[in-house]
Amino acid sequence: MLGLDQTALLLDGLKPPPGMEIDAAVGTTFTLDLTALLAIPVAATLASDEQDGPDSADLLEVVRRHADRTVLFCQAGAISVPPKYRAALTFVEQSVVEARKPTGGIFHPKVWVVRFASAGSYRHRVLVMSRNLTFDRSWDVVVRLDEEPDAEQAMDNGGIVEFVRALPSFAARDLTEVQSNLVADLGDTLATATLAVPAPFESGSFAPFLSGRDGQPFRHSCDHALAISPFLSEDATHSFVDTATSRALVISRPAALDASADGVRSAQRVLRLKDAVLDAERTIDDTFDTTGLDDSGCGAMLQLRGLHAKTYVQDHGDQASCWIGSANLTAGAFSTNVEMLVRLTGPVGDVGVDSLLSPSPQKNNLSWFVEDHPLPVTGKDSDAEEGVSELEGHAFDVASGEIMLTLTPAGEHWDAVLGITPWQLPAGMSVRARLLSLRKEQGVEVVQGTASWPAIPMSSITPFVVLEARGGGHVRHVLVRAQLAGDPEDRRRSVIANAIASRDDFLRYLAALLGAEQGFGSAGLGEEFFTGGWIGGGSSRVLENLLVTASRNPGRLASLDQTLKQLRNRADVAEIVPEDFHQLWEAVYAVRKGVIG
């Protein structure tokens, strides 16, 4: 059922079918790495987080095009601080939506709902995962469900449609009109999509946890039960184990098993990943690497290692039901958190407990990688769900409030004032803040919810703000996305133009803008395409793709129009943009200006 030869990458799961492109994507995650978000559209370019030079214009165009179609919800305050600011982040500002921290819980689902388009037709795909959108090196699980109009067995879509439509209600701050429309439209088209049940399963449905009233979704009674969860709580674990009339098994992290020992004792087997497996991953004995430093040299948010998958299996007669997704086997997951699981049911021989964890070790299932874990006589130290410390919980509360960055002109620069409401810090906690684009030493104390930075250049304006929370001798850095008031009109429009320093830069940008649809990139598109005029020779390929884009996707050319307007204001425009191209563009724009925008 979950053989170890069945591996998957998130990037593969988001890759469009042949001949199609991403039309809309709505995702959710608990923690977020902004570089991982950038890496989705430009994985090859951003394979390394450390790109020394400035972002290139062609990279920026790829990010811009995908970001305009993407909305990603994450826990407010759970965005990690990237090691440096980069221009490409300008284009994901409107992709990131922070979800407020539920009372007593966290916003924890890991889902992608994607709509692909081609010639007016749609195909949908849903990914339900245990993995956050980060570069964590952890063992996770993902279920991919594709739209197949002629599928013999179809998923019950009700739960995932309810989930997508509910997402705006969790936003800490108001969505933009574009974001609201994209989420609503995707929910509407998903409601009529036929998602195929993946073989060998025979039926399936979605189990969203949205309001804290749901409780565990599992069967009250079964023959055998298996829980795989990196975090446990005694009551939740005991409740699940007691559903099995014959045999129950639990796989978790050693720290979680020790902390919830009394809730696990009635299980027939209690297991953990083999130490040798963790050693091979170069991890420490604990599942977390707490030595990671952020750009300030202080402790960053914990990086997940080792086991992070959440899977629950119950055998009942000749059938087995499997629940896979974000929810840990904890009280919080089913009472206070926002979560998502997918339920799949199929033949017990194919998808039951023994197919995943056979009684005798087999290389193609988990039995080869786990070993028995001896429980302590009494439970040991507590084990916070997802490693969220008390200080981080307070930081999440601050990040869940109204956060506004107000900009006012100051000559050629801008004064920036940060406001956070409500401002209620527990005793002993303090917060410093800085714009992500500013140097560390430009951080200032937040006093009564206010901080300010005078006379910053337009290139430093960003809604991403680093909050440094201190309390109890600990320090945590979180990133929040403030709402901008007084945002300069040309700020986003000038980003790509500022990255173009030569004619080669312009040609690569043009290739990224036009070539994605026609299947070619910047390779091979050089100065020779501009010799001999635009209508003859090799440049006819550029002309053809410009005309095709103007016909099929004219809205994409709005980026080109804005970039050319910015470039025309520069003294070196003749060295960057061939005069023949100006003439060609004016002709194309005159015909299609009504739809280019």
Side-chain angles (χ1 to χ4, degrees):
M1 186 264 288
L2 293 175
L4 297 181
D5 58 348
Q6 298 173 347
T7 59
L9 297 176
L10 175 59
L11 292 174
D12 290 337
L14 297 175
K15 184 178 179 180
M20 307 192 83
E21 64 177 359
I22 293 177
D23 176 69
V26 172
T28 65
T29 183
F30 169 47
T31 54
L32 170 63
D33 186 314
L34 290 175
T35 306
L37 178 58
L38 293 176
I40 289 176
V42 283
T45 308
L46 291 181
S48 171
D49 181 64
E50 300 298 304
Q51 185 180 358
D52 294 331
D55 293 335
S56 62
D58 54 322
L59 178 150
L60 291 170
E61 172 55 32
V62 173
V63 172
R64 183 205 64 77
R65 186 169 66 251
H66 285 79
D68 286 349
R69 308 170 184 176
T70 302
V71 180
L72 178 67
F73 294 79
C74 68
Q75 168 64 59
I79 308 174
S80 60
V81 181
K84 63 179 181 180
Y85 180 73
R86 61 196 321 157
L89 293 176
T90 304
F91 294 117
V92 299
E93 292 171 1
Q94 300 302 317
S95 296
V96 177
V97 175
E98 292 175 281
R100 67 181 181 277
K101 180 175 176 287
T103 302
I106 52 179
F107 181 85
H108 196 249
K110 301 97 164 57
V111 174
W112 278 100
V113 179
V114 188
R115 184 174 68 202
F116 307 105
S118 177
S121 64
Y122 292 143
R123 285 290 185 273
H124 295 77
R125 179 178 299 159
V126 176
L127 304 177
V128 180
M129 306 171 289
S130 65
R131 187 166 189 81
N132 294 302
L133 189 53
T134 66
F135 292 109
D136 293 339
R137 293 191 293 273
S138 54
W139 290 55
D140 281 283
V141 64
V142 57
V143 176
R144 170 174 160 174
L145 302 162
D146 282 296
E147 181 177 0
E148 296 180 15
D150 299 325
E152 292 185 6
Q153 304 292 339
M155 297 287 296
D156 179 347
N157 279 7
I160 190 65
V161 173
E162 177 189 9
F163 177 78
V164 171
R165 289 174 171 168
L167 285 175
S169 68
F170 295 107
R173 294 168 283 282
D174 291 340
L175 274 67
T176 66
E177 183 178 359
V178 172
Q179 291 170 334
S180 296
N181 291 341
L182 186 147
V183 174
D185 185 56
L186 182 58
D188 290 344
T189 59
L190 179 65
T192 61
T194 301
L195 298 176
V197 175
F201 295 102
E202 298 171 345
S203 65
S205 62
F206 297 89
F209 301 89
L210 303 173
S211 64
R213 67 178 186 273
D214 305 278
Q216 291 191 5
F218 312 119
R219 297 176 63 91
H220 297 299
S221 177
C222 65
D223 302 323
H224 310 125
L226 166 66
I228 303 173
S229 175
F231 295 91
L232 306 169
S233 67
E234 285 189 9
D235 290 347
T237 304
H238 188 269
S239 178
F240 178 80
V241 167
D242 273 4
T243 66
T245 59
S246 178
R247 178 166 51 104
L249 306 92
V250 177
I251 301 176
S252 188
R253 299 163 38 251
L257 291 167
D258 291 348
S260 301
D262 291 341
V264 183
R265 293 191 197 282
S266 57
Q268 279 62 50
R269 291 194 71 186
V270 177
L271 305 116
R272 68 187 185 200
L273 288 185
K274 289 182 178 178
D275 290 338
V277 173
L278 297 179
D279 291 341
E281 292 183 310
R282 298 179 180 177
T283 59
I284 55 178
D285 290 340
D286 191 8
T287 310
F288 295 102
D289 176 9
T290 59
T291 62
L293 302 179
D294 68 8
D295 65 328
S296 301
C298 301
M301 292 188 67
L302 297 172
Q303 287 188 311
L304 292 174
R305 311 279 185 154
L307 180 69
H308 193 241
K310 292 92 170 170
T311 300
Y312 309 97
V313 184
Q314 291 181 306
D315 297 345
H316 44 96
D318 60 358
Q319 296 283 293
S321 295
C322 309
W323 286 265
I324 300 170
S326 66
N328 290 295
L329 193 52
T330 63
F334 303 111
S335 62
T336 57
N337 291 358
V338 178
E339 306 276 5
M340 169 61 80
L341 293 174
V342 61
R343 179 198 59 81
L344 298 168
T345 298
V348 68
D350 295 325
V351 299
V353 170
D354 286 348
S355 71
L356 183 56
L357 188 65
S358 56
S360 59
Q362 296 180 9
K363 292 185 178 180
N364 196 36
N365 63 39
L366 283 178
S367 61
W368 192 260
F369 287 89
V370 295
E371 59 189 6
D372 292 315
H373 177 77
L375 294 173
V377 176
T378 58
K380 295 188 176 182
D381 295 338
S382 62
D383 183 55
E385 184 169 6
E386 296 296 345
V388 177
S389 67
E390 183 178 2
L391 180 61
E392 282 172 338
H394 291 316
F396 290 177
D397 287 331
V398 172
S400 295
E402 290 293 329
I403 302 179
M404 179 70 70
L405 187 67
T406 302
L407 303 164
T408 54
E412 296 183 355
H413 293 75
W414 299 79
D415 292 337
V417 178
L418 178 71
I420 304 176
T421 55
W423 185 250
Q424 297 174 338
L425 296 184
M429 179 178 170
S430 63
V431 176
R432 291 177 63 84
R434 67 175 172 87
L435 305 187
L436 178 60
S437 55
L438 300 181
R439 300 186 305 275
K440 290 175 287 187
E441 55 269 25
Q442 291 178 275
V444 297
E445 193 80 15
V446 181
V447 180
Q448 296 301 312
T450 301
S452 61
W453 300 268
I456 63 173
M458 183 185 291
S459 59
S460 294
I461 294 176
T462 175
F464 290 118
V465 180
V466 181
L467 300 180
E468 177 188 272
R470 294 179 175 268
H474 300 285
V475 179
R476 281 291 176 264
H477 292 76
V478 299
L479 196 70
V480 297
R481 186 188 67 80
Q483 291 181 306
L484 289 181
D487 192 8
E489 182 179 351
D490 288 341
R491 181 177 67 91
R492 285 170 56 88
R493 296 177 182 177
S494 64
V495 171
I496 292 178
N498 291 341
I500 298 176
S502 67
R503 185 164 294 187
D504 282 345
D505 288 345
F506 178 73
L507 301 186
R508 285 192 293 269
Y509 159 68
L510 192 61
L513 182 75
L514 304 177
E517 182 177 2
Q518 299 302 314
F520 74 90
S522 58
L525 181 58
E527 180 68 26
E528 64 273 11
F529 275 79
F530 293 85
T531 59
W534 277 86
I535 305 302
S539 62
S540 60
R541 188 179 188 186
V542 179
L543 171 60
E544 176 186 352
N545 284 279
L546 182 62
L547 295 175
V548 168
T549 303
S551 173
R552 295 181 179 175
N553 288 303
R556 181 181 295 177
L557 296 182
S559 173
L560 178 57
D561 182 46
Q562 294 171 6
T563 299
L564 289 172
K565 288 178 179 176
Q566 296 289 330
L567 291 174
R568 289 190 186 108
N569 295 327
R570 289 169 41 172
D572 59 351
V573 62
E575 301 173 8
I576 293 175
V577 184
E579 180 59 31
D580 284 351
F581 182 77
H582 284 300
Q583 297 172 7
L584 174 62
W585 171 247
E586 289 173 1
V588 171
Y589 185 77
V591 175
R592 301 293 285 165
K593 62 181 179 180
V595 285
I596 289 175

